[in-house]
Amino acid sequence: MAADGTQTAESRAEFDVEAYAAAALKQGKELDDLEAELGEQLRRIRQELYSLIDERYEDFLGLSTSLTGIDATIGGVKEPLAQITTKLQSTHTELAAKLEYVDARMAYRTAIREKKQVLRLFIDLSQLLDRVDAVLKETSELVVGSAEFVKCLERAAVDLSQIRYFSNKGAEYPFVAQAADRISRIENMLLTALDQSLAHCTLEYLSTHSSTKVASEVNGNGAVVMIAQCLGAYSTVEEHGRAEKVIRQQMVRPFVQDEVLGEWGARKGMGIDPSTFASLLQKLLDFVSRLAVPLVQGIELHFPASGYMLESSVFWREIATNLVESLPLLFVPGMPDHFHRNYLAACRFMREFGSMFAVSKEGGAAYADYAESGGSLASEPSYIEFNRKWQLSAYFSIRKKQIIDAVEGRDREQATDAEGKKSMVRSPDLNSRAGGLASNSRSGTPSSSVSLTSLSGNLGGSNHSSSLAPLLEMGKEAITRMQHELGLHTELATRAILAIRLCWSPSVYIETLASQFWQLTVQLMLWYRQAADQHIRQLIRRNAELGRPSALENTEIDQLLLHICDIYELKALVLEQTRTSSSMAPVSVDSISSGNSNVFRSKVLDSMERLVVQMFKPLEGTAQSAFNCMAATIVSTSCSNLASQLRRTTSQFRHTNRSPPSSASSFVGKLFAPLSALETRIDDLCSAADSPSLSIDLNSADDFLALARNALRSQTCEGISREFAKACNEALSSISKTEASLQRLRKSKGNTATKLDAGAADDLSVPVGVDMRGKVPATDNEKIRRQIWLDVTELSRLIEEFDSQPHREFVEFVQLVVPLGP
């Protein structure tokens, strides 16, 4: 823009008038407003320019003077610069030509060098092939397995390794392709010779170790040295697997198949006895101790950086593979007792197998973690497959079915007498869809029961579960005997605790299935909770149907009390079993590594005990409801004749001229007779049965007695005191109303001179103005009121003796009748 505010040609070309105007119009501005705005802006710019010139006026005047001669100065500099530019361009051209020449020469030299390398590669490969041929030819004249034979193979192995390197490096060259057949022939010859040498050394090692040797003798044995050298040759040519296969075939497989498995391999392990299987595993451990451990020690001594894991890749792999392939029925839990013992024997075998090599590698017990974690076995595929083959989920399903059948008593004799059938209450079915145990089986359990049944026959039969028969086939006599031993009173609780103990029995429990057995334990507690709740509620209903007198005298009240007592007995027994079960649960790897296994087990125990307590809480609530019903029956029985008793009290003093009362009525002391009788029955029931011998600080009988006394006394005292206060209040009100009616009758006859009794005209229980304190009752009303006060006081004393509290209405009534006392 020029000094006058107009745009120059250059600035005008850059400024888009239409775009600027369109933007202003979008903002709602009119053209006149836009013109005025631009004019104002131009005015401000000019004003700023004039202000700037005024401020720096001297610089403005000297501007033209300071620029005088600038064109000549620029012209004098421009010519030398042009000459320098021309010279630089010429130099750049010359250097570019020289660099191009240098690059061409370097490319030529690189090509020559590569050709030399290829030629060197060809020469080296040819020399190596000739040398290996010569070495292999030399070995043909030596005795297989001799020291010279093995040394020649070691040299040939080194050369073959280099041959492989060169052949891979020059794979695209024709001469390498032409030598491929020769290289393959040399490889086959060398590996065959190594196989023969290693097999010979292995057989020699077996022949010299037919009996147990001392470790020091073994380590210095020549056969071990020769085997180590052969393994070194295999390692040089990266054929570890081939070497391990030779040792498996020559050393391990014949012993396992012929001397260990024998006829059991032909029978696929059908019906193998646990003692027989344990003896087979012991033979394998003896073999490993006598041959495998010394060999591994010798290899590590003479070839420490071999990279071989013979204990896992040779000995364990061959043993596990033969067991899995030759004894497939061993892993099927058709006979659960045999399967359990065989699995535990296999677990001990794995631990002892690992511990042998743990001691051999570390020289002591400091490497004990090796035995726990499996050492190098943990990552061995055959080790993983061997553990996976054991059908633990199917075993748990069978045990679960057996325990369910036992706890439901499906095989026991059914009661035939009419009394027994009448009192029998159907328990919840553990196999039902709603809340059943069988409905919660794991997804890993085989769905086909036909194959398992075909192998095992009757899963609950004594032929296949002889060791568990006393527990699984619980008859009536056995249940009765176990009740006395456990200190229980009902068959339901006895079956529940026996089933729970069966889950953690050493002949059933497997550590790997700890979570499943704990889930089954929880489900058994849930089954007992549902069944006991159903029994108790049905007994409560039947007891209520009998009526007040019979409700507290029939035998079903004893059954109800026994069921409630067993809730607390069983809870104590389950908590005791929980402590044992928590110590049997596996410890996490993290807690072992951090040394906090005890803390881990303590947390497990706490969580298990909390769950047990939580499972029994609903039953304790049901027990409380039962005691409330008993208390209500006691209250209704004791208070049914209160009104007639109080009318009899009124009649005793009305127009009889009897002496004032000095003691409470006899019927007051009999109000709590049903409660005392019921407490005596509860004490007799608890003392008649032996309490269970517990290893934990729990007294289930005391818990039951405390609950019974507190519940019965609290509810009974509140109920009786409430009814008594209501009846006495009605009796006193009736007295006041009767007396008021007599007074009104006398007044209506005009006998105004008759003196009225204080408050007789009131209809209140204790009329206003009545205060008998400090005087002897004279009138009939006063005698009756004093008798009621004595009865109320006696009832308060009895409630205090029961260490309980009366109802709020009774407390208020006591305050009301204070003026009736002496």
Side-chain angles (χ1 to χ4, degrees):
M1 185 174 289
D4 58 354
T6 59
Q7 290 182 334
T8 63
E10 183 178 358
S11 62
R12 190 178 295 110
E14 296 175 356
F15 181 74
D16 190 347
V17 178
E18 295 180 356
Y20 182 81
L25 291 175
K26 286 183 180 179
Q27 295 177 1
K29 296 180 180 180
E30 298 293 339
L31 291 178
D32 295 340
D33 297 337
L34 180 61
E35 181 181 7
E37 181 181 343
L38 292 176
E40 179 63 24
Q41 184 177 359
L42 177 61
R43 187 188 64 77
R44 286 198 304 269
I45 293 174
R46 287 178 176 176
Q47 185 64 36
E48 290 177 3
L49 178 60
Y50 297 154
S51 299
L52 182 61
I53 293 175
D54 291 341
E55 290 176 1
R56 305 183 63 179
Y57 185 71
E58 294 181 357
D59 296 336
F60 177 73
L61 294 178
L63 183 61
S64 58
T65 305
S66 59
L67 293 178
T68 304
I70 192 65
D71 292 336
T73 304
I74 291 174
V77 175
K78 186 175 182 181
E79 184 176 353
L81 288 176
Q83 295 176 358
I84 293 173
T85 301
T86 303
K87 189 174 182 180
L88 287 175
Q89 291 177 350
S90 175
T91 304
H92 181 270
T93 303
E94 294 177 0
L95 291 176
K98 293 179 179 180
L99 286 175
E100 184 178 355
Y101 174 76
V102 171
D103 290 340
R105 298 300 298 174
M106 292 298 294
Y108 176 76
R109 294 185 63 179
T110 300
I112 295 297
R113 189 183 303 109
E114 290 177 354
K115 292 179 180 179
K116 287 182 178 180
Q117 291 177 353
V118 173
L119 181 60
R120 182 74 264 173
L121 177 65
F122 174 75
I123 295 172
D124 291 342
L125 182 60
S126 178
Q127 291 176 350
L128 287 171
L129 292 173
D130 294 339
R131 190 163 64 194
V132 173
D133 279 335
V135 172
L136 293 177
K137 184 177 181 181
E138 180 181 354
T139 57
S140 61
E141 301 174 358
L142 299 175
V143 178
V144 176
S146 63
E148 294 78 4
F149 186 85
V150 175
K151 289 181 179 179
C152 290
L153 294 181
E154 285 183 310
R155 296 199 307 269
V158 174
D159 292 340
L160 179 59
S161 178
Q162 294 180 354
I163 290 173
R164 287 178 173 177
Y165 171 75
F166 289 137
S167 61
N168 290 332
K169 188 176 180 180
E172 70 276 9
Y173 299 116
F175 70 89
V176 175
Q178 294 173 2
D181 293 339
R182 186 181 179 187
I183 294 173
S184 178
R185 176 181 58 82
I186 290 175
E187 285 183 352
N188 292 334
M189 291 178 61
L190 176 59
L191 293 177
T192 302
L194 281 174
D195 293 345
Q196 294 174 354
S197 179
L198 183 57
H200 181 273
C201 295
T202 302
L203 295 176
E204 183 180 353
Y205 175 79
L206 289 174
S207 65
T208 56
H209 290 73
S210 57
S211 59
T212 304
K213 296 288 184 178
V214 182
S216 60
E217 297 178 359
V218 171
N219 292 337
N221 192 281
V224 177
V225 177
M226 300 297 292
I227 292 176
Q229 292 177 347
C230 291
L231 292 178
Y234 277 106
S235 179
T236 302
V237 295
E238 298 180 354
E239 292 288 346
H240 298 80
R242 187 174 183 131
E244 294 167 352
K245 182 179 180 181
V246 172
I247 298 178
R248 287 200 303 269
Q249 292 176 345
Q250 297 297 325
M251 181 183 298
V252 188
R253 186 173 301 172
F255 178 82
V256 174
Q257 291 183 348
D258 299 337
E259 299 188 29
V260 177
L261 298 179
E263 62 174 337
W264 292 108
R267 295 170 58 181
K268 303 297 183 182
M270 171 72 76
I272 186 170
D273 186 75
S275 58
T276 303
F277 181 63
S279 65
L280 297 182
L281 296 180
Q282 186 58 47
K283 288 182 180 180
L284 292 173
L285 288 175
D286 295 339
F287 170 78
V288 171
S289 176
R290 178 168 51 89
L291 294 174
V293 174
L295 179 62
V296 171
Q297 290 177 343
I299 297 301
E300 292 180 352
L301 178 64
H302 299 288
F303 191 15
S306 63
Y308 287 96
M309 300 298 294
L310 298 183
E311 66 271 21
S312 59
S313 58
V314 174
F315 294 99
W316 172 261
R317 184 179 300 176
E318 189 64 28
I319 291 172
T321 302
N322 278 276
L323 289 176
V324 171
E325 294 179 354
S326 301
L327 307 177
L329 299 181
L330 173 71
F331 306 91
V332 179
M335 300 178 180
D337 286 348
H338 286 187
F339 178 87
H340 179 269
R341 293 169 61 188
N342 288 336
Y343 178 75
L344 294 184
C347 291
R348 287 193 296 271
F349 170 73
M350 288 187 284
R351 287 194 298 268
E352 293 180 13
F353 183 93
S355 63
M356 288 181 181
F357 294 100
V359 175
S360 69
K361 289 190 173 186
E362 294 295 324
Y367 201 57
D369 289 342
Y370 185 101
E372 293 292 334
S373 63
S376 61
L377 298 181
S379 58
E380 169 62 31
S382 60
Y383 178 85
I384 300 173
E385 178 66 16
F386 182 78
N387 282 278
R388 192 186 64 83
K389 276 291 182 179
W390 293 94
Q391 298 182 18
L392 296 179
S393 58
Y395 168 78
F396 176 74
S397 297
I398 295 174
R399 287 305 194 196
K400 182 177 180 180
K401 181 181 183 301
Q402 292 176 337
I403 293 172
I404 291 173
D405 291 344
V407 76
E408 291 183 341
R410 293 179 179 176
D411 299 327
R412 70 179 186 268
E413 264 188 340
Q414 301 295 333
T416 56
D417 55 299
E419 185 70 19
K421 289 184 177 180
K422 183 178 179 181
S423 61
M424 183 179 295
V425 182
R426 180 174 176 80
S427 302
D429 189 0
L430 285 170
N431 287 305
S432 63
R433 290 187 178 182
L437 289 178
S439 63
N440 296 322
S441 59
R442 292 172 58 87
S443 59
T445 304
S447 59
S448 175
S449 59
V450 178
S451 60
L452 290 175
T453 306
S454 65
L455 292 173
S456 61
N458 183 7
L459 296 177
S462 59
N463 292 334
H464 305 303
S465 304
S466 58
S467 63
L468 298 178
L471 293 177
L472 294 176
E473 299 178 1
M474 295 181 286
K476 211 164 190 177
E477 295 181 358
I479 289 294
T480 303
R481 184 178 65 256
M482 294 303 298
Q483 282 181 200
H484 291 296
E485 293 179 2
L486 295 172
L488 297 173
H489 311 84
T490 60
E491 178 181 349
L492 188 66
T494 305
R495 288 187 176 276
I497 188 58
L498 289 180
I500 290 174
R501 288 185 173 183
L502 188 60
C503 291
W504 304 93
S505 169
S507 58
V508 173
Y509 173 74
I510 291 178
E511 186 176 281
T512 311
L513 299 173
S515 61
Q516 289 92 318
F517 277 110
W518 172 243
Q519 292 174 5
L520 180 57
T521 301
V522 174
Q523 291 167 347
L524 287 169
M525 288 190 289
L526 179 62
W527 171 83
Y528 172 77
R529 189 177 77 182
Q530 295 174 345
D533 183 80
Q534 182 178 346
H535 276 259
I536 293 173
R537 293 187 183 279
Q538 187 162 349
L539 288 172
I540 291 174
R541 289 194 299 270
R542 290 181 179 178
N543 196 49
E545 294 171 358
L546 295 176
R548 286 195 301 269
S550 302
L552 298 175
E553 299 174 359
N554 66 90
T555 56
E556 290 196 355
I557 197 70
D558 293 340
Q559 297 179 17
L560 181 60
L561 293 172
L562 292 177
H563 274 290
I564 296 175
C565 182
D566 272 0
I567 291 174
Y568 296 89
E569 300 283 3
L570 182 63
K571 177 182 176 182
L573 291 171
V574 173
L575 286 173
E576 180 189 35
Q577 180 61 49
T578 299
R579 299 206 171 180
T580 304
S581 304
S582 64
S583 63
M584 299 168 63
V587 183
S588 65
V589 177
D590 294 338
S591 63
I592 294 177
S593 59
S594 61
N596 294 327
S597 57
N598 292 333
V599 176
F600 176 82
R601 291 192 183 278
S602 177
K603 292 181 179 179
V604 171
L605 176 60
D606 291 342
S607 62
M608 293 172 71
E609 288 183 341
R610 284 197 300 270
L611 182 57
V612 172
V613 173
Q614 181 181 358
M615 293 293 292
F616 278 87
K617 275 191 177 300
L619 278 181
E620 294 174 1
T622 304
Q624 183 67 46
S625 301
F627 285 126
N628 293 342
C629 293
M630 294 180 196
T633 303
I634 293 173
V635 171
S636 61
T637 302
S638 300
C639 300
S640 59
N641 297 323
L642 271 180
S644 62
Q645 293 289 349
L646 290 173
R647 285 195 299 270
R648 189 176 295 112
T649 299
T650 303
S651 63
Q652 288 177 353
F653 293 98
R654 182 73 67 187
H655 308 298
T656 60
N657 199 25
R658 295 186 62 175
S659 302
S662 59
S663 61
S665 303
S666 60
F667 77 89
V668 177
K670 298 178 182 179
L671 291 176
F672 292 99
L675 174 62
S676 300
L678 185 58
E679 287 187 351
T680 302
R681 293 176 68 179
I682 293 174
D683 293 338
D684 293 341
L685 288 174
C686 289
S687 60
D690 296 330
S691 298
S693 177
L694 301 176
S695 60
I696 58 178
D697 187 16
L698 284 173
N699 197 329
S700 54
D702 288 349
D703 291 343
F704 169 70
L705 290 175
L707 173 74
R709 288 192 179 96
N710 293 335
L712 288 174
R713 291 181 177 182
S714 175
Q715 297 295 325
T716 302
C717 289
E718 284 191 6
I720 291 178
S721 62
R722 181 185 66 251
E723 296 299 324
F724 192 84
K726 186 184 300 182
C728 290
N729 194 23
E730 292 177 356
L732 290 175
S733 298
S734 177
I735 293 171
S736 299
K737 290 178 181 179
T738 301
E739 199 63 29
S741 298
L742 290 175
Q743 293 292 342
R744 286 193 294 270
L745 180 62
R746 292 172 185 174
K747 186 177 180 181
S748 64
K749 291 181 179 181
N751 190 7
T752 57
T754 303
K755 183 179 179 182
L756 301 179
D757 292 340
D762 295 332
D763 294 338
L764 301 175
S765 301
V766 180
V768 177
V770 173
D771 192 349
M772 301 170 53
R773 288 173 289 189
K775 66 179 182 178
V776 178
T779 65
D780 294 346
N781 288 344
E782 290 179 346
K783 294 177 182 179
I784 296 172
R785 287 170 177 146
R786 177 60 57 84
Q787 182 64 62
I788 292 177
W789 180 88
L790 291 172
D791 293 344
V792 171
T793 303
E794 177 65 13
L795 186 65
S796 298
R797 186 188 64 81
L798 293 175
I799 292 175
E800 290 181 0
E801 288 184 357
F802 279 108
D803 193 20
S804 187
Q805 297 294 327
H807 194 269
R808 176 180 53 82
E809 294 180 5
F810 181 81
V811 175
E812 295 175 354
F813 183 74
V814 169
Q815 298 296 326
L816 179 66
V817 299
V818 167
L820 305 181

